[in-house]
Amino acid sequence: MLTALKRSFKGGVHPPENKKYTESKAIEEIPLPEKVIIPLQQHIGKPSKAIVEKGAEVKAGDPISEAGGFVSVPCHASISGTVKSIEPHIHPLGEKIPSVIIESNGEDQISDNITFNSDYMSLSGEEMKNLIYGAGIAGMGGATFPTHVKLSPPPEKKINTVILNGAECEPYLTSDHRLMLENTEEIIEGFRIIMKILDVKRGIIGIENNKPDSIKKMEDISAKFPEISVVSLNVKYPQGAEKQLIYALTKRKVPAGKLPMEVGCIVQNVGTAKAVYDAVAYKRPLIDRIVTVAGCVTYQKNLKVRIGTPLQHLIDYCGGFEGSPKKIIMGGPMMGLALHSLDTPVIKGTSGILMLRDDQVSAVKTTACLNCGKCVEICPMNLMPNIIAGFAKYERWDDAKDAFALDCIECGCCSYICPAKITLVQNIKYAKFKIMEDSK
Amino acid sequence: MEDKEITQEIISVSSAPHIRGEDSTQRIMFSVVIALIPALLGSVYFFGTRALWLTFLAVITAVATEWVIQKLRKVEVTVSDGSAIVTGILLAFNLPGGVPWWLPVIGSFFAIAIGKQAFGGLGFNPMNPALLGRAFLLASWPVHMTTGWTAPLYGTKSGISTVTEATPLAALKDAIKYLNVEDKAQQSAETIAAIKGSYGNLLWGKVGGCIGETSVIFILIGALYLLYKGYINYRIPLSYIGTVALFTWIFGGVEGYFSGDPVFHVLAGGLILGAFFMATDMVTSPSSIKGQWVFGIGCGVITVIIRLVGGYPEGVSYSILLMNLTTPLLDRYLKHKPFGS
Ligand code: SF4
Ligand code: SF4
């Protein structure tokens, strides 16, 4: 075991962890909501296409849409009941997108397709991959890239290392932490399935050392598989970013503009591994996930939530607001999305819901850039955020591109550290958008 | 659905990150003020309350000038960010103890009005305002600025046992100059031989010079605090001081190459103050990491050229001002390569 080694990456920041509020809260299953809203797009890629109609009766786990292409995944009913409508509905990204709205019949009938196959490890890689595809799994760390696509590297890319991402470097979030503690066996089995699909003999699980109990448990359970090692990482944000995690664990540098497979690595999140296990061993689609609810609610919790559950339901279950939130964030405070509607549904990539008060989010006054170089020093991609944002300010998109704007991973470290409180990452994201638009 | 739609007034949907670090412009500037306090105490100890008085005048003028100009420009008044206080202190620190009281007043006014506000305020000034103010004073009142030296209360002006009437760098410069002049040759040789004995005085600050630059120890205490806080980094001071040490060692001696006294050159004059508190000025030094190294080396080279070849005994201020002008270019052309390339 490599836990004795202290590892990390270059750059990064140390925001207050604030995990203490929920890290000891065991996962609770939240009662079923009256309705779920299942957006047809919860993943990166093409939207899925509805295959049910208004009025259809569905059980939890029944498919309600089919993938819209290779880089796409199907969606499933997460509760049993009636399809009330298929209509544009508010999505965490802030826009309305076509969604299937299902009204619960209160019975929680489970799809007949879900059956246990004790011999799942003898399935072929291809069969496993089909089950994963059919289960609608998209990366559950938040990036929501379709998992079957990630598990299908082109043959010329030799993959030799699979990395399981248990870093959970965002402040407040503890859903992966709890999952690693409470569903350790499933995660390890899911990881073994992923390794089998990719035909890889080396698996590394990276966990930040603020979760010693998870590290211990994962080590204990994986001890009988010599091909799997657990590595403890020094706490630093954004440790869970793919390129940074790969570097911290293997010292391999993914070339700029390239994917991890370039250096023989594939990274999967621990939640995804659990979903993979469910899909392959049970034919169980991705219909629920663990969500940390933290901030100004009466009870901060880790919840097992059906996909499509509206935010309001989570907040009610947690005893309602305590004080008034200034910001409601889906995901972590560094990269999460600010929401404006409590009718927004939990989706496959929702790792947490944070309700932050005025004093917990910093609404701050921006002053002129001091050229202090702090942002430059901590950028994990070794960019010069001040320069790129400066070009963006004057709409010099070509210059922004020459300053490598496209290599930005949007981690937000630069905005976090900036003493002048400049909205660097926001400006850089806009520059990226403009550069992409120009190149079309 | 409608009733759950929260209105924009109550919640904010501004984009990530939703939390920010604790450092602010104000916090940094006041930390610099705190870091300058040991050196200020040192200057009062060595040059008496006059040092405090000159510093006070410079600070008050700097703050008042900034306030008035921002009022006149009808822009937000930002004197509370502390940057004018820093400029005032540094300007005073760069004056000889014997200057008349109105000199820091004029210097500070120039530093803030022309050096900073004329360009648009903090963040837009191309050169260090305090050094620009000092350069202005040197050009306008050269006699005050070059002969206003006072001896420290507990020592001699030069700190070198054989000389009493010049600051350390000037004493050395003269000694080297007159080494081959008949009637002064002997005394010059003695001076050069004696400079090793002055290290202690230089380190402690028992020598003549600008009021805030003489005490290496006190300046370093403040510098260490800023390094610890992460408000300055080691690159510029290290490359600057290292370059000065290297080149004065190679070229600074009278017995051919590698006969110079790098320790003396590092400790004497304004190098330590300049390297830690002025070359590191965020606004006017590069943010590119490579740029910071080049900047420090550039400051070092120019300082050495002025000290060894130029007409002035000291070149710290001018070297930093000149390198300030290269900052935008260094940031632009010493680009960073993204991780993985
Ligand atoms: S520039 Fe991009 S990668 Fe660098 S710190 Fe900012 S958000 Fe992160
Ligand atoms: S951290 Fe902010 S103030 Fe400092 S260089 Fe970057 S953008 Fe400018």
Side-chain angles (χ1 to χ4, degrees):
Chain A
M1 297 293 137
L2 294 165
T3 45
L5 290 178
K6 297 253 175 187
R7 300 190 182 202
S8 201
F9 59 95
K10 216 173 134 266
V13 294
H14 295 276
E17 294 173 28
N18 283 326
K19 291 182 187 273
K20 56 177 183 279
Y21 306 113
T22 53
E23 66 191 354
S24 57
K25 303 282 173 65
I27 298 168
E28 287 174 43
E29 201 153 341
I30 184 170
L32 292 185
E34 279 161 27
K35 66 162 186 192
V36 291
I37 304 131
I38 305 193
L40 291 174
Q41 175 135 37
Q42 305 177 36
H43 50 267
I44 290 175
K46 292 228 165 71
S48 64
K49 288 185 264 188
I51 52 169
V52 288
E53 280 175 8
K54 188 174 167 185
E57 298 288 326
V58 291
K59 292 181 182 170
D62 283 345
I64 54 170
S65 71
E66 60 184 22
F70 179 60
V71 186
S72 179
V73 293
C75 295
H76 301 79
S78 57
I79 55 174
S80 62
T82 318
V83 174
K84 204 179 94 189
S85 65
I86 300 171
E87 60 176 41
H89 190 281
I90 192 83
H91 183 275
L93 283 170
E95 299 144 34
K96 290 197 170 183
I97 82 145
S99 308
V100 176
I101 298 173
I102 302 170
E103 220 163 39
S104 172
N105 60 11
E107 306 200 350
D108 200 21
Q109 298 135 329
I110 301 294
S111 168
D112 316 322
N113 300 337
I114 300 177
T115 50
F116 183 59
N117 168 8
S118 61
D119 202 18
Y120 58 89
M121 265 300 171
S122 55
L123 294 172
S124 75
E126 213 47 42
E127 288 167 321
M128 289 174 164
K129 223 152 68 177
N130 280 330
L131 288 169
I132 291 169
Y133 171 64
I137 302 175
M140 293 175 71
T144 59
F145 191 74
T147 301
H148 68 276
V149 181
K150 228 177 175 184
L151 296 180
S152 314
E156 70 273 13
K157 299 274 184 274
K158 255 333 274 156
I159 305 299
N160 52 35
T161 308
V162 196
I163 289 171
L164 199 57
N165 185 354
E168 198 166 54
C169 57
E170 276 267 17
Y172 290 98
L173 302 184
T174 59
S175 49
D176 283 350
H177 181 172
R178 292 309 309 181
L179 193 72
M180 287 190 280
L181 268 184
E182 298 179 37
N183 294 80
T184 324
E185 287 86 356
E186 289 98 320
I187 294 173
I188 300 289
E189 283 306 285
F191 192 33
R192 290 181 62 229
I193 291 168
I194 292 168
M195 288 171 68
K196 171 156 184 187
I197 294 173
L198 291 165
D199 190 24
V200 165
K201 298 283 170 295
R202 181 179 181 217
I204 311 175
I205 305 173
I207 306 173
E208 285 197 338
N209 59 16
N210 55 1
K211 299 178 264 295
D213 47 354
S214 294
I215 294 174
K216 173 94 180 31
K217 185 91 189 282
M218 295 284 275
E219 271 179 347
D220 289 350
I221 304 291
S222 66
K224 53 182 176 292
F225 308 110
E227 66 276 21
I228 296 177
S229 56
V230 177
V231 177
S232 152
L233 297 161
N234 277 355
V235 174
K236 191 157 70 165
Y237 178 86
Q239 191 100 248
E242 281 195 340
K243 293 183 176 186
Q244 279 61 37
L245 186 65
I246 291 170
Y247 181 76
L249 292 173
T250 67
K251 293 284 170 279
R252 295 181 200 169
K253 292 184 179 179
V254 180
K258 292 285 191 333
L259 293 171
M261 60 175 78
E262 211 62 35
V263 292
C265 292
I266 280 184
V267 182
Q268 293 288 354
N269 164 270
V270 288
T272 312
K274 158 81 165 55
V276 161
Y277 167 79
D278 288 343
V280 172
Y282 286 90
K283 292 209 184 91
R284 186 174 186 276
L286 175 50
I287 58 168
D288 57 22
R289 65 155 299 139
I290 314 302
V291 179
T292 298
V293 183
C296 57
V297 281
T298 310
Y299 309 104
Q300 307 184 68
K301 289 174 186 291
N302 277 302
L303 299 174
K304 186 170 188 174
V305 183
R306 299 289 168 99
I307 303 296
T309 304
L311 230 62
Q312 182 75 57
H313 188 66
L314 274 64
I315 293 163
D316 291 344
Y317 183 71
C318 291
F321 291 131
E322 204 180 54
S324 57
K326 178 76 184 170
K327 262 191 181 180
I328 301 176
I329 299 156
M330 187 171 278
M334 292 298 288
M335 286 183 83
L337 301 160
L339 306 178
H340 60 83
S341 167
L342 295 183
D343 215 26
T344 312
V346 164
I347 60 170
K348 291 171 183 175
T350 305
S351 45
I353 304 286
L354 308 179
M355 265 79 39
L356 299 186
R357 279 191 317 267
D358 226 346
D359 54 311
Q360 294 167 308
V361 294
S362 359
V364 276
K365 215 182 73 200
T366 300
T367 52
C369 171
L370 301 170
N371 209 42
C372 68
K374 280 264 159 204
C375 55
V376 178
E377 205 148 322
I378 54 78
C379 174
M381 292 307 290
N382 198 34
L383 309 179
M384 294 183 71
N386 54 340
I387 303 282
I388 305 174
F391 287 140
K393 193 165 155 194
Y394 297 103
E395 310 202 341
R396 289 163 62 179
W397 311 125
D398 286 339
D399 287 327
K401 191 179 172 194
D402 287 345
F404 307 104
L406 294 180
D407 286 291
C408 168
I409 56 169
E410 304 181 9
C411 64
C413 289
C414 47
S415 296
Y416 176 82
I417 206 84
C418 177
K421 313 291 173 195
I422 297 170
T423 53
L424 292 159
V425 60
Q426 197 177 337
N427 303 2
I428 296 169
K429 274 188 207 169
Y430 189 60
K432 286 173 74 175
F433 172 75
K434 281 292 182 183
I435 295 167
M436 300 299 259
E437 207 173 52
D438 283 355
S439 65
K440 264 182 205 154
Chain B
M1 196 187 303
E2 290 69 26
D3 53 331
K4 286 177 195 156
E5 205 86 23
I6 316 172
T7 52
Q8 291 270 10
E9 291 104 73
I10 311 175
I11 69 160
S12 148
V13 286
S14 61
S15 79
H18 308 288
I19 50 173
R20 295 299 188 90
E22 296 192 322
D23 288 342
S24 63
T25 306
Q26 191 181 38
R27 196 185 268 242
I28 293 176
M29 292 302 166
F30 279 100
S31 300
V32 176
V33 172
I34 290 171
L36 285 167
I37 286 177
L40 181 62
L41 295 177
S43 74
V44 175
Y45 178 68
F46 291 115
F47 296 108
T49 46
R50 177 143 189 102
L52 193 60
W53 174 233
L54 293 177
T55 308
F56 175 76
L57 285 172
V59 168
I60 290 295
T61 312
V63 173
T65 307
E66 180 137 296
W67 189 85
V68 170
I69 293 182
Q70 288 180 325
K71 278 284 174 202
L72 291 175
R73 283 177 62 209
K74 296 203 181 358
V75 293
E76 192 191 348
V77 173
T78 58
V79 292
S80 63
D81 71 13
S83 62
I85 303 176
V86 172
T87 299
I89 299 178
L90 288 176
L91 180 100
F93 275 18
N94 278 289
L95 299 177
V99 298
W101 66 268
W102 45 265
L103 214 65
V105 172
I106 295 177
S108 261
F109 173 79
F110 186 88
I112 297 292
I114 308 297
K116 186 175 172 192
Q117 288 300 329
F119 293 101
L122 183 67
F124 300 101
N125 50 303
M127 285 178 280
N128 185 314
L131 289 177
L132 206 62
R134 177 195 140 99
F136 171 71
L137 295 179
L138 191 57
S140 310
W141 290 276
V143 178
H144 284 311
M145 290 296 286
T146 53
T147 60
W149 311 115
T150 49
L153 299 181
Y154 317 93
T156 62
K157 266 191 208 170
S158 70
I160 303 171
S161 55
T162 62
V163 190
T164 50
E165 280 311 308
T167 54
L169 284 171
L172 178 65
K173 192 152 192 147
D174 284 349
I176 292 176
K177 194 157 106 194
Y178 297 126
L179 201 53
N180 296 319
V181 177
E182 281 268 339
D183 56 336
K184 293 189 181 159
Q186 163 128 25
Q187 196 199 348
S188 297
E190 279 169 14
T191 301
I192 291 169
I195 62 171
K196 282 203 160 41
S198 68
Y199 293 170
N201 290 340
L202 291 169
L203 207 58
W204 186 226
K206 266 166 62 177
V207 294
C210 296
I211 57 174
E213 73 180 18
T214 62
S215 176
V216 171
I217 295 274
F218 284 102
I219 296 166
L220 285 181
I221 291 171
L224 280 178
Y225 170 72
L226 288 186
L227 282 167
Y228 163 76
K229 291 287 251 176
Y231 296 153
I232 60 175
N233 69 61
Y234 63 93
R235 293 180 205 101
I236 290 175
L238 184 70
S239 55
Y240 189 174
I241 295 170
T243 304
V244 169
L246 181 68
F247 285 109
T248 52
W249 177 47
I250 301 178
F251 301 111
V254 290
E255 289 156 27
Y257 296 137
F258 300 102
S259 67
D261 187 337
V263 180
F264 179 81
H265 271 284
V266 167
L267 299 179
L271 180 61
I272 299 295
L273 181 69
F276 283 99
F277 283 93
M278 294 184 294
T280 52
D281 170 37
M282 296 173 170
V283 176
T284 55
S285 65
S287 58
S288 147
I289 308 279
K290 270 186 255 166
Q292 292 170 3
W293 291 110
V294 173
F295 184 90
I297 293 169
C299 286
V301 169
I302 300 173
T303 299
V304 172
I305 292 175
I306 296 177
R307 280 190 186 180
L308 298 185
V309 190
Y312 289 112
E314 176 58 306
V316 166
S317 308
Y318 282 124
S319 69
I320 297 172
L321 282 172
L322 281 172
M323 289 309 291
N324 283 165
L325 295 173
T326 70
T327 291
L329 292 173
L330 294 178
D331 271 346
R332 181 82 206 263
Y333 293 106
L334 294 180
K335 261 192 250 179
H336 278 211
K337 288 256 174 294
F339 173 78
S341 60

